[in-house]
């Protein structure tokens, strides 16, 4: 009974956290529904896990992530703004409470998530992803000259409020759908892959482009090793469709992609001629430089969970004020998940987090060429981890990432995938 309840809570989180969004015309924080979904879901998971504490066996990975969470707690309560570190920056909400929810999602997914037919869960997530993808296309072509008015404020973003967040979701979903089509011949997965690829290009999310490039290279290497003609046929069909979509988006007069390509070209040209410039990558280089200075000053426990804005303002005042004055934006995230953890929670926390990720991913890499499930899961995780170098964590996508981390070691779930 408790296992079914845990599975139900996790399924609701997986469905609602990416789907729920508050449109602009309601004049409310667009992530507030996601926040309450994760807070209520996290509380329920804590209670259900506590009810199972006698049977809850911990391995090295669990101990590692709990140690990471303890450092998050320490950073939170030594922060200059404890309240912000507990609840998180406005509309970001990745404070201590959210980290607790993430860890609970990981533990519950790993130990208790179970569907009698895992295809039911996959079908549900297919529908969720398709709705999100179709909305992205709708934003691009149907909402007239001001594409997001009166729904959302920044970019082609579907239900995420920001095109970068949409890119994070695409980076997690697109590799899975590609693999389902190429390795299993699933036609619905082909359709979803095309929808997600279109949105990846049209949204102009460069972090997702980089992740897709890495995934494509790994996928080609895998297919060459498999030497299966059926896989090759499906791959070339998918490639042909991707090329047609690329051309279609490229010639679109409203295409964001062209502007992003020109920006990348200019950034590369300027870096070769004058070296790295803080303006590169939409100001990411400058944010990274400020964040590194903050890490040097606060190496052990950082400036406080999700408290980067205050940390930069207090410890890198001149750089912070110059950036705000020049860009009219306030940096509250490092635009690199790893630097953000080091700056807000500390270098030890980042090291433990990377060890935790390595303990999950590296064993799967040993079987990546001989086991389809290991390949698909590893590809999705690698894709997310690559885009995280240029993007930020968001509560609409991070729960899915933490859930996949748990499902990797869930024997019932993996065995169900093998059967079905």
């Amino acid at each position: 009974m408790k296992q079914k309840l845990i599975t139900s809570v996790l399924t609701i989180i997986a469905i609602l956290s990416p789907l729920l969004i508050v449109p602009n015309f309601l004049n409310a924080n667009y992530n507030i529904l996601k926040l309450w979904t994760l807070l209520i879901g996290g509380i329920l998971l804590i209670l259900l896990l506590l009810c199972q504490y006698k049977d809850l066996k911990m391995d090295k990975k669990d101990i590692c992530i709990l140690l990471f969470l303890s450092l998050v707690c320490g950073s939170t309560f030594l922060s200059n703004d404890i309240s912000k570190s507990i609840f998180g920056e406005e509309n970001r909400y990745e404070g201590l409470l959210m980290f607790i929810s993430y860890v609970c999602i990981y533990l519950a997914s790993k130990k208790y998530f179970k569907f009698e037919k895992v295809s039911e869960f996959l079908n549900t997530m297919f529908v969720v992803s398709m709705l999100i993808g179709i909305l992205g296309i709708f934003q691009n072509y149907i909402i007239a000259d001001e594409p997001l008015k009166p729904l959302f404020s920044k970019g082609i973003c579907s239900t995420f409020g920001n095109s970068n967040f949409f890119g994070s979701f695409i980076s997690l979903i697109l590799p899975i759908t590609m693999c389902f089509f190429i390795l299993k011949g699933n036609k619905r997965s082909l359709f979803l892959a095309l929808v997600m690829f279109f949105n990846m290009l049209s949204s102009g999310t460069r972090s997702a482009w980089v992740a897709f490039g890495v995934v494509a290279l790994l996928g080609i290497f895998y297919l060459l090793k498999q030497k299966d003609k059926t896989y090759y046929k499906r791959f070339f069909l998918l490639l042909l469709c991707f090329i047609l979509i690329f051309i279609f988006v490229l010639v679109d007069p409203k295409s964001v992609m062209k502007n992003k390509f020109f920006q990348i070209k200019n950034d590369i040209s300027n870096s070769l001629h004058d070296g790295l410039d803080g303006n590169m990558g939409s100001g990411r280089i400058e944010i990274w430089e400020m964040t590194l200075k903050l890490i040097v000053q606060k190496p052990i426990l950082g400036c406080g969970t999700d408290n980067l804005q205050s940390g930069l303002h207090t410890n890198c005042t001149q750089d912070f004020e110059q950036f705000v004055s020049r860009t009219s934006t306030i940096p509250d995230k490092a635009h690199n998940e790893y630097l953000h953890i080091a700056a807000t929670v500390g270098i030890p926390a980042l090291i433990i987090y990377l060890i935790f990720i390595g303990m999950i991913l590296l064993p799967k890499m040993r079987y990546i060429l001989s086991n389809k499930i290991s390949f698909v899961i590893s590809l999705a995780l690698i894709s997310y981890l690559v885009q995280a170098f240029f993007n930020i964590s968001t509560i609409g996508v991070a729960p899915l990432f933490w859930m996949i981390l748990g499902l990797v070691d869930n024997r019932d779930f993996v065995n169900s995938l093998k059967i079905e």
Side-chain angles (χ1 to χ4, degrees):
M1 182 63 180
K2 291 172 184 174
Q3 187 175 44
K4 289 184 178 180
L5 286 173
I6 290 174
T7 300
S8 297
V9 172
L10 288 170
T11 303
I12 291 171
I13 289 174
I15 293 170
L16 295 184
S17 58
L19 266 183
L20 294 177
I21 189 75
V22 178
N24 284 343
F25 64 83
L26 293 178
N27 294 319
N29 294 338
Y30 63 83
N31 270 335
I32 195 69
L33 294 177
K34 298 180 191 291
L35 169 68
W36 282 109
T37 297
L38 291 169
L39 288 181
I40 294 171
I43 291 170
L44 291 174
L45 290 177
I46 289 173
L47 295 175
L48 291 167
L49 288 172
L50 288 175
C51 290
Q52 298 282 92
Y53 80 95
K54 290 184 179 179
D55 301 322
L56 199 61
K57 296 179 181 179
M58 295 287 175
D59 59 22
K60 292 180 181 178
K61 284 170 274 194
D62 302 335
I63 294 171
C64 190
I65 200 58
L66 290 175
L67 181 57
F68 170 79
L69 186 59
S70 69
L71 290 174
V72 173
C73 291
S75 174
T76 296
F77 292 109
L78 292 176
S79 167
N80 290 332
D81 191 336
I82 295 177
S83 177
K84 183 179 288 186
S85 288
I86 291 174
F87 296 101
E89 187 73 48
E90 184 179 4
N91 248 338
R92 306 301 194 194
Y93 303 127
E94 284 204 312
L96 172 63
L97 295 179
M98 201 52 59
F99 274 104
I100 293 173
S101 294
Y102 292 164
V103 172
C104 287
I105 289 170
Y106 161 74
L107 292 173
S109 300
K110 177 179 179 177
K111 299 179 185 299
Y112 299 110
F113 184 87
K114 183 178 181 181
F115 264 86
E116 290 185 7
K117 290 186 177 181
V118 73
S119 57
E120 295 176 358
F121 174 73
L122 296 177
N123 289 337
T124 301
M125 294 311 299
F126 170 84
V127 172
V128 170
S129 301
M130 185 59 74
L131 289 173
I132 290 170
I134 290 173
L135 178 58
I137 296 174
F138 179 78
Q139 288 172 342
N140 195 24
Y141 287 108
I142 300 179
I143 312 182
D145 296 329
E146 298 181 61
L148 307 176
K149 186 180 180 180
L151 293 178
F152 310 114
S153 60
K154 188 176 181 183
I156 297 162
C157 54
S158 190
T159 57
F160 298 95
N162 187 296
S163 58
N164 289 327
F165 304 162
F166 191 18
S168 297
F169 179 78
I170 293 170
S171 295
L172 204 54
I173 301 300
L174 182 56
I176 297 174
T177 57
M178 290 165 55
C179 289
F180 269 46
F181 172 67
I182 294 173
L183 303 181
K184 298 290 289 182
N186 188 292
K187 294 179 181 178
R188 291 192 309 165
S189 295
L190 170 63
F191 186 48
L192 181 56
L194 298 182
V195 169
M196 287 298 165
F197 182 76
F198 178 89
N199 280 298
M200 182 188 73
L201 295 179
S202 63
S203 65
T205 311
R206 288 164 293 178
S207 57
W209 296 355
V210 175
F212 176 78
V214 173
V215 163
L217 291 175
L218 292 174
I220 291 170
F221 178 75
Y222 175 83
L223 292 177
L224 291 174
K225 290 292 183 179
Q226 297 304 306
K227 299 178 181 178
D228 189 312
K229 291 182 180 179
T230 304
Y231 293 168
Y232 294 163
K233 291 178 183 178
R234 294 171 186 160
F235 168 77
F236 284 113
L237 174 60
L238 186 65
L239 179 62
L240 176 61
C241 293
F242 280 176
I243 291 172
L244 293 175
I245 290 173
F246 177 82
I247 295 171
F248 180 80
V249 175
L250 189 64
V251 300
D252 180 7
K254 296 188 298 182
S255 174
V256 177
M257 186 179 73
K258 285 187 289 188
N259 294 332
K260 295 291 185 178
F261 272 136
F262 283 123
Q263 189 174 355
I264 292 171
K265 180 182 176 181
N266 290 335
D267 284 347
I268 294 174
S269 176
N270 291 337
S271 65
L272 292 175
H273 187 265
D274 302 319
L276 291 178
D277 188 306
N279 296 327
M280 290 177 60
S282 301
R284 278 174 172 79
I285 298 296
E286 189 172 350
I287 295 174
W288 292 352
E289 289 173 347
M290 285 192 292
T291 303
L292 286 170
K293 291 179 181 179
L294 177 59
I295 292 170
V296 170
Q297 296 183 53
K298 301 276 186 178
I300 306 303
L301 287 173
C303 62
T305 313
D306 211 22
N307 211 16
L308 185 71
Q309 177 184 331
S310 176
L312 291 175
H313 190 215
T314 303
N315 298 279
C316 307
T317 306
Q318 184 175 352
D319 293 337
F320 178 85
E321 291 179 349
Q322 287 177 353
F323 180 86
V324 173
S325 175
R326 183 177 60 81
T327 64
S328 299
T329 58
I330 299 175
D332 57 5
K333 288 278 191 175
H335 289 277
N336 179 307
E337 287 192 30
Y338 312 105
L339 285 179
H340 188 82
I341 292 172
T344 56
V345 190
I347 294 175
L350 174 62
I351 293 171
I352 292 171
Y353 175 75
L354 293 176
I355 291 172
F356 166 71
I357 295 295
M359 291 171 70
I360 290 176
L361 193 56
L362 291 179
K364 298 292 176 290
M365 299 297 288
R366 294 167 55 190
Y367 308 104
I368 194 170
L369 294 177
S370 60
N371 186 295
K372 290 181 182 178
I373 296 172
S374 293
F375 174 71
V376 175
I377 292 174
S378 298
L379 209 61
L381 293 177
I382 289 170
S383 179
Y384 181 88
L385 293 169
V386 169
Q387 66 84 36
F389 274 97
F390 312 96
N391 213 339
I392 70 178
S393 177
T394 175
I395 61 174
V397 183
L400 298 178
F401 172 67
W402 285 85
M403 190 171 179
I404 292 175
L405 289 176
L407 292 177
V408 166
D409 284 335
N410 184 318
R411 291 183 179 180
D412 288 336
F413 182 79
V414 172
N415 290 336
S416 296
L417 286 176
K418 289 179 180 178
I419 293 170
E420 297 187 29

